[in-house]
Amino acid sequence: MSARATTAEAAAPQTGAPEAAAPSAAAAAPAVPNAEATGRRVEEVLDRLAQRDDREASAAAEELVRVLMDFYGAGLARIMHLMGSATGDDRARPALLGDELVTSLLVLHDLHPEDTATRIGRALDSVRRQHPAEVAEFDADAGTLRLRAADSGGCGCPSTSQQAQQTVEAAVSCFAPEVTSMGWEAAGERAEPALLQISRRPPTAATAS
């Protein structure tokens, strides 16, 4: 199915669907794009590109529309699946916010209700069983994040370590794309706890004045 057909099908009005009641002035919501008008607009843009006799540009535009439709379609399908599998009203929200695909859509449109630090934690939780890691330092203003590998009992070979780091970084990028730079603490860089000095002699009592 072409991108044009997909767009037209998605924008087609549903016959027999009840019309939504007009919102009152007090409860006015932000304007919602009209699906049919949006579909027509996409068709017009694709037609304009086709008329320029640039087949490469036209094919690229249609591929772009198809990729976006697939992305958003997968996101909506994922939302419906999570909503249907959650038991109880209190289970739907954590399931949605903990899903990488749904999170990427929410963040893309600045709709995610959680701050960056919380979403970084969710990203690390999503891969913690296979690749445990923790935050060493996070600068929200600069968008920089330093991570450290948690004790996992693995072999510690370089290839495995590099693959684990890439997996963790990919999860963070999905949950918190505003993190612009990620680095890892070198082995042995973690600050050691101060040693408690224990003396064999009890402290000398203060002399009464």
PDB file of all heavy atoms in Angstrom, residues 142-156:
ATOM      1  N   ALA A 142      23.155  21.417  30.867  1.00  0.00           N
ATOM      2  CA  ALA A 142      24.051  21.105  29.744  1.00  0.00           C
ATOM      3  C   ALA A 142      23.594  19.872  28.967  1.00  0.00           C
ATOM      4  O   ALA A 142      24.055  19.639  27.848  1.00  0.00           O
ATOM      5  CB  ALA A 142      25.475  20.886  30.248  1.00  0.00           C
ATOM      6  N   GLY A 143      22.706  19.066  29.563  1.00  0.00           N
ATOM      7  CA  GLY A 143      22.257  17.846  28.901  1.00  0.00           C
ATOM      8  C   GLY A 143      23.286  16.744  28.890  1.00  0.00           C
ATOM      9  O   GLY A 143      23.236  15.845  28.058  1.00  0.00           O
ATOM     10  N   THR A 144      24.238  16.793  29.821  1.00  0.00           N
ATOM     11  CA  THR A 144      25.297  15.788  29.870  1.00  0.00           C
ATOM     12  C   THR A 144      25.028  14.775  30.976  1.00  0.00           C
ATOM     13  O   THR A 144      24.558  15.139  32.052  1.00  0.00           O
ATOM     14  CB  THR A 144      26.664  16.453  30.107  1.00  0.00           C
ATOM     15  OG1 THR A 144      26.617  17.207  31.328  1.00  0.00           O
ATOM     16  CG2 THR A 144      27.005  17.386  28.955  1.00  0.00           C
ATOM     17  N   LEU A 145      25.349  13.541  30.699  1.00  0.00           N
ATOM     18  CA  LEU A 145      25.087  12.447  31.635  1.00  0.00           C
ATOM     19  C   LEU A 145      26.320  11.566  31.730  1.00  0.00           C
ATOM     20  O   LEU A 145      26.892  11.165  30.716  1.00  0.00           O
ATOM     21  CB  LEU A 145      23.889  11.623  31.161  1.00  0.00           C
ATOM     22  CG  LEU A 145      23.567  10.347  31.928  1.00  0.00           C
ATOM     23  CD1 LEU A 145      23.118  10.660  33.358  1.00  0.00           C
ATOM     24  CD2 LEU A 145      22.490   9.545  31.200  1.00  0.00           C
ATOM     25  N   ARG A 146      26.724  11.264  32.949  1.00  0.00           N
ATOM     26  CA  ARG A 146      27.804  10.311  33.193  1.00  0.00           C
ATOM     27  C   ARG A 146      27.208   9.099  33.884  1.00  0.00           C
ATOM     28  O   ARG A 146      26.481   9.223  34.870  1.00  0.00           O
ATOM     29  CB  ARG A 146      28.908  10.929  34.046  1.00  0.00           C
ATOM     30  CG  ARG A 146      29.704  12.021  33.347  1.00  0.00           C
ATOM     31  CD  ARG A 146      30.804  12.539  34.251  1.00  0.00           C
ATOM     32  NE  ARG A 146      31.782  11.514  34.541  1.00  0.00           N
ATOM     33  CZ  ARG A 146      32.549  11.509  35.633  1.00  0.00           C
ATOM     34  NH1 ARG A 146      32.404  12.445  36.552  1.00  0.00           N
ATOM     35  NH2 ARG A 146      33.435  10.553  35.822  1.00  0.00           N
ATOM     36  N   LEU A 147      27.549   7.923  33.374  1.00  0.00           N
ATOM     37  CA  LEU A 147      27.022   6.673  33.905  1.00  0.00           C
ATOM     38  C   LEU A 147      28.165   5.835  34.459  1.00  0.00           C
ATOM     39  O   LEU A 147      29.326   6.031  34.105  1.00  0.00           O
ATOM     40  CB  LEU A 147      26.298   5.900  32.805  1.00  0.00           C
ATOM     41  CG  LEU A 147      25.083   6.586  32.177  1.00  0.00           C
ATOM     42  CD1 LEU A 147      24.722   5.912  30.863  1.00  0.00           C
ATOM     43  CD2 LEU A 147      23.896   6.571  33.131  1.00  0.00           C
ATOM     44  N   ARG A 148      27.802   4.898  35.306  1.00  0.00           N
ATOM     45  CA  ARG A 148      28.779   3.911  35.771  1.00  0.00           C
ATOM     46  C   ARG A 148      28.114   2.542  35.745  1.00  0.00           C
ATOM     47  O   ARG A 148      26.913   2.406  35.999  1.00  0.00           O
ATOM     48  CB  ARG A 148      29.275   4.241  37.176  1.00  0.00           C
ATOM     49  CG  ARG A 148      28.293   4.019  38.278  1.00  0.00           C
ATOM     50  CD  ARG A 148      28.974   4.023  39.646  1.00  0.00           C
ATOM     51  NE  ARG A 148      29.580   5.301  39.967  1.00  0.00           N
ATOM     52  CZ  ARG A 148      28.981   6.210  40.744  1.00  0.00           C
ATOM     53  NH1 ARG A 148      27.780   5.989  41.238  1.00  0.00           N
ATOM     54  NH2 ARG A 148      29.591   7.342  41.022  1.00  0.00           N
ATOM     55  N   ALA A 149      28.886   1.544  35.404  1.00  0.00           N
ATOM     56  CA  ALA A 149      28.386   0.183  35.374  1.00  0.00           C
ATOM     57  C   ALA A 149      28.236  -0.326  36.796  1.00  0.00           C
ATOM     58  O   ALA A 149      29.158  -0.205  37.607  1.00  0.00           O
ATOM     59  CB  ALA A 149      29.315  -0.719  34.573  1.00  0.00           C
ATOM     60  N   ALA A 150      27.068  -0.872  37.113  1.00  0.00           N
ATOM     61  CA  ALA A 150      26.855  -1.463  38.434  1.00  0.00           C
ATOM     62  C   ALA A 150      27.426  -2.862  38.447  1.00  0.00           C
ATOM     63  O   ALA A 150      27.675  -3.474  37.402  1.00  0.00           O
ATOM     64  CB  ALA A 150      25.362  -1.487  38.772  1.00  0.00           C
ATOM     65  N   ASP A 151      27.650  -3.388  39.649  1.00  0.00           N
ATOM     66  CA  ASP A 151      28.195  -4.738  39.781  1.00  0.00           C
ATOM     67  C   ASP A 151      27.192  -5.742  39.251  1.00  0.00           C
ATOM     68  O   ASP A 151      26.053  -5.814  39.709  1.00  0.00           O
ATOM     69  CB  ASP A 151      28.503  -5.045  41.251  1.00  0.00           C
ATOM     70  CG  ASP A 151      29.598  -4.128  41.784  1.00  0.00           C
ATOM     71  OD1 ASP A 151      30.419  -3.670  40.970  1.00  0.00           O
ATOM     72  OD2 ASP A 151      29.606  -3.865  43.010  1.00  0.00           O
ATOM     73  N   SER A 152      27.613  -6.526  38.258  1.00  0.00           N
ATOM     74  CA  SER A 152      26.710  -7.495  37.645  1.00  0.00           C
ATOM     75  C   SER A 152      27.213  -8.917  37.712  1.00  0.00           C
ATOM     76  O   SER A 152      26.500  -9.850  37.369  1.00  0.00           O
ATOM     77  CB  SER A 152      26.481  -7.128  36.160  1.00  0.00           C
ATOM     78  OG  SER A 152      27.702  -7.140  35.466  1.00  0.00           O
ATOM     79  N   GLY A 153      28.477  -9.102  38.096  1.00  0.00           N
ATOM     80  CA  GLY A 153      29.014 -10.456  38.175  1.00  0.00           C
ATOM     81  C   GLY A 153      29.342 -11.064  36.840  1.00  0.00           C
ATOM     82  O   GLY A 153      29.501 -12.269  36.715  1.00  0.00           O
ATOM     83  N   GLY A 154      29.432 -10.195  35.789  1.00  0.00           N
ATOM     84  CA  GLY A 154      29.730 -10.707  34.462  1.00  0.00           C
ATOM     85  C   GLY A 154      31.210 -10.957  34.281  1.00  0.00           C
ATOM     86  O   GLY A 154      32.021 -10.785  35.186  1.00  0.00           O
ATOM     87  N   CYS A 155      31.564 -11.325  33.028  1.00  0.00           N
ATOM     88  CA  CYS A 155      32.961 -11.643  32.750  1.00  0.00           C
ATOM     89  C   CYS A 155      33.807 -10.392  32.656  1.00  0.00           C
ATOM     90  O   CYS A 155      35.015 -10.441  32.845  1.00  0.00           O
ATOM     91  CB  CYS A 155      33.068 -12.450  31.458  1.00  0.00           C
ATOM     92  SG  CYS A 155      32.569 -11.521  29.988  1.00  0.00           S
ATOM     93  N   GLY A 156      33.177  -9.241  32.322  1.00  0.00           N
ATOM     94  CA  GLY A 156      33.911  -7.993  32.257  1.00  0.00           C
ATOM     95  C   GLY A 156      34.800  -7.860  31.046  1.00  0.00           C
ATOM     96  O   GLY A 156      35.678  -6.999  31.004  1.00  0.00           O
TER      97      GLY A 156
END
